[in-house]
Amino acid sequence: MKVTEPEKFQGRVIAVNGSIVDVVFTPPLPPMQALLLIESKDKNTIMLEVAGHISETKVRAIALTPVAGLKRNQPVISDGKPLSIPVGPTLLGRMLNVFGEIIDNGNALEGIEHHPIYATPPPLSQRTVTPEIIETGIKIIDLLAPLEKGGKAGMFGGAGVGKTVIITELINNIAGRQEGVSLFCGIGERCREAEELYREMAAAGVLDKTVMVFAQMNEPSGARFKVGHAALTLAEYFRDTQKNDVLLLVDNIFRFIQAGSEVSGLMGYIPSHVGYQPTLATELAELEERICSTKKGSITSVQAVYVPADDFTDPAASHTFSHLSASVVLSRKRASQGLYPAMDPLVSSSNMLTPEIVSESHYRINHQVRKVFAEYDDLKDIIAMLGLEELSENDRQTVAIARRLERFLTQPFFTTSRFTGKKGRIVKLTDTLDGCRKILDGEYSDVAEKDLYMIGTIDEVKKR
């Protein structure tokens, strides 16, 4: 049977209100999430997406590209299909935007398969759950908040506490050692960050196994809201068709929620708690539930999450928490003390920390380290008011161990070596556990605290 060309929907613009465009069609109307195309005066294509059916003849669309030059009565066409993005191994080493266009000044893509950016998550019967951890080479994360293979981990923190630095270090440490594919999704990124990351990945030698997808901060909210789905379409292709294990890094999930809030406001929906969109939970779940593992391959996701005003009760942060298997919470106080990575050991957590998944010794040492940090936290007020001398001998010993552990769990990063002058370190989990055990046992009580600061393994103390 001959396959006919899909019927085109033809309409015209009747209203333009910022990024919201109303279009009238002769029924039937294009379906929800259908891509609408308008050719502007300067021959550029303006892309819209159907976001609502207003009446029997009118749709309301959100702009995915700038709408400069758009005016009433301009013709609009659509084939009724959603936005699609190119997929395939030829994308490795390339940088794309939300439309699948190359933005790295390289050769254009030709004759490549396209997939729609929307997909339903695999049913539960097809998902696999294998409790296995991924070693990151970062001491404090591997010890206190180990990441799950095929799971979702979040890097929570306010502005300037090191979320993006940890993400780039994970690319350097994990992407270079794993056999699969890495995928970086930049949502609302600054152009400086995107350009720096591209150069860093090329320098680390992992660019040829990486695809980068960006919707930058200056782009319309519609593009920033859709780029996460575009990146997941690529991740699903590498998982299901190429049968790869995929490492998906997202920076920043808050920008996705923020873009959704902008779209919701432009559409005229009544805001919910703290001014966010009423559909926040649904929109976040539509994205997060696509990140999963099947028998064909796994998608392991690490997501940076900006926390507005360091308020972890903010709906954007609290809704994201519920989707994650590991949460790395970054502390501004620790960052101000120079304890990098500035992870808060008492708030960060991981579902992997059970004796059945990690080793018995890892579980025991993690428990002891947290106990020491909790006791030290309780003693800080007494130390501030009365001084260290007023503490009992046992309490002073606890403080000494806690301060040495704090400094041992700092680590020089490869991605910051040009700023700090210290060569980066990758530390095996066994070496991390060995160092913590020796400090807990008091073996380094006669070593100055500063000698444990910014080192790799505990053996480096002897060299100092």
Side-chain angles (χ1 to χ4, degrees):
M1 188 177 76
K2 186 180 178 182
V3 179
T4 56
E5 198 60 27
E7 181 184 349
K8 300 277 184 183
F9 297 91
Q10 297 187 349
R12 58 185 175 83
V13 176
I14 57 169
V16 181
N17 185 11
S19 293
I20 295 296
V21 181
D22 289 349
V23 184
V24 65
F25 286 90
T26 303
L29 299 179
M32 293 288 286
Q33 297 179 333
L35 187 66
L36 310 181
L37 304 176
I38 306 170
E39 191 173 291
S40 63
K41 289 186 295 184
D42 54 3
K43 300 300 180 184
N44 287 329
T45 302
I46 296 171
M47 298 186 187
L48 317 171
E49 183 181 272
V50 176
H53 289 174
I54 306 303
S55 69
E56 292 180 357
T57 58
K58 189 166 73 171
V59 302
R60 182 155 289 166
I62 186 81
L64 304 179
T65 55
V67 294
L70 193 60
K71 60 184 181 182
R72 288 180 182 176
N73 292 320
Q74 278 190 267
V76 181
I77 60 168
S78 173
D79 59 6
K81 295 178 182 177
L83 177 65
S84 62
I85 189 168
V87 295
T90 54
L91 292 174
L92 292 171
R94 307 306 301 269
M95 188 191 286
L96 317 173
N97 63 13
V98 67
F99 309 109
E101 298 166 344
I102 295 296
I103 54 173
D104 58 12
N105 292 328
N107 297 327
L109 301 170
E110 293 181 3
I112 190 167
E113 185 181 355
H114 282 66
H115 285 187
I117 67 169
Y118 301 107
T120 52
L124 288 173
S125 58
Q126 293 179 14
R127 301 190 186 196
T128 57
V129 180
T130 50
E132 182 183 343
I133 66 170
I134 293 179
E135 279 195 38
T136 65
I138 301 173
K139 290 183 286 189
I140 194 166
I141 293 177
D142 288 341
L143 175 68
L144 300 175
L147 309 189
E148 178 188 6
K149 183 179 180 182
K152 288 168 270 199
M155 303 285 167
F156 291 84
V161 293
K163 298 183 298 298
T164 302
V165 170
I166 292 178
I167 290 275
T168 52
E169 188 71 7
L170 288 173
I171 293 170
N172 181 79
N173 293 6
I174 301 176
R177 289 185 285 132
Q178 72 156 13
E179 293 299 316
V181 170
S182 299
L183 187 61
F184 185 90
C185 175
I187 306 176
E189 284 282 277
R190 302 167 185 87
C191 58
R192 167 185 61 77
E193 291 173 335
E195 193 270 337
E196 282 178 0
L197 186 65
Y198 184 79
R199 281 190 286 111
E200 282 171 4
M201 294 182 81
V206 297
L207 193 59
D208 60 334
K209 291 200 296 181
T210 306
V211 186
M212 305 175 76
V213 188
F214 286 99
Q216 289 168 204
M217 202 174 265
N218 63 317
E219 295 184 38
S221 52
R224 285 181 274 124
F225 191 45
K226 303 300 175 185
V227 71
H229 291 283
L232 271 164
T233 299
L234 282 167
E236 288 164 346
Y237 171 83
F238 284 111
R239 180 193 66 194
D240 298 335
T241 306
Q242 298 291 313
K243 296 180 172 53
N244 288 128
D245 289 330
V246 181
L247 176 65
L248 173 65
L249 300 124
V250 184
D251 190 7
N252 187 304
I253 281 291
F254 174 78
R255 305 287 178 210
F256 166 78
I257 294 170
Q258 193 177 44
S261 181
E262 287 181 41
V263 170
S264 178
L266 289 166
M267 292 292 292
Y269 299 141
I270 297 170
S272 182
H273 186 48
V274 201
Y276 286 105
Q277 64 270 41
T279 51
L280 187 157
T282 307
E283 290 166 359
L284 186 61
E286 283 174 352
L287 187 76
E288 296 282 3
E289 287 302 305
R290 290 175 68 181
I291 304 171
C292 62
S293 299
T294 67
K295 293 170 185 175
K296 297 175 181 177
S298 67
I299 301 177
T300 303
S301 174
V302 181
Q303 309 167 12
V305 188
Y306 169 70
V307 181
D310 293 338
D311 178 12
F312 286 91
T313 63
D314 187 272
S318 58
H319 277 89
T320 308
F321 264 118
S322 61
H323 290 279
L324 305 174
S325 57
S327 301
V328 175
V329 179
L330 302 178
S331 158
R332 191 172 302 281
K333 188 175 181 182
R334 289 177 67 84
S336 66
Q337 294 169 341
L339 300 172
Y340 290 106
M343 176 176 142
D344 190 324
L346 298 177
V347 185
S348 303
S349 63
S350 170
N351 295 346
M352 297 290 99
L353 277 171
T354 63
E356 294 79 22
I357 298 173
V358 299
S359 65
E360 188 71 42
S361 63
H362 183 172
Y363 178 76
R364 188 179 67 255
I365 291 169
N366 162 72
H367 181 72
Q368 289 173 330
V369 168
R370 286 180 188 274
K371 183 170 179 285
V372 167
F373 281 139
E375 290 174 0
Y376 177 42
D377 200 54
D378 289 340
L379 293 169
K380 280 180 180 175
D381 286 342
I382 299 173
I383 296 168
M385 287 186 289
L386 303 175
L388 193 63
E389 296 75 19
E390 296 301 315
L391 297 180
S392 67
E393 185 60 38
N394 282 344
D395 284 347
R396 269 186 279 182
Q397 192 175 354
T398 298
V399 170
I401 290 172
R403 289 178 64 84
R404 280 165 175 77
L405 280 171
E406 272 185 339
R407 279 146 186 80
F408 173 64
L409 292 174
T410 61
Q411 188 170 338
F413 281 177
F414 290 94
T415 50
T416 58
S417 57
R418 66 181 183 275
F419 304 116
T420 62
K422 296 177 184 289
K423 187 183 175 185
R425 307 281 200 285
I426 293 177
V427 183
K428 292 180 181 177
L429 176 58
T430 51
D431 292 332
T432 302
L433 295 174
D434 182 55
C436 290
R437 181 182 54 77
K438 287 177 177 176
I439 294 170
L440 287 165
D441 291 344
E443 289 186 28
Y444 286 83
S445 56
D446 56 342
V447 172
E449 293 172 6
K450 62 181 177 59
D451 289 338
L452 292 161
Y453 180 67
M454 284 293 170
I455 61 171
T457 63
I458 198 77
D459 295 335
E460 289 184 32
V461 176
K462 295 172 185 174
K463 295 175 186 176
R464 288 192 173 185

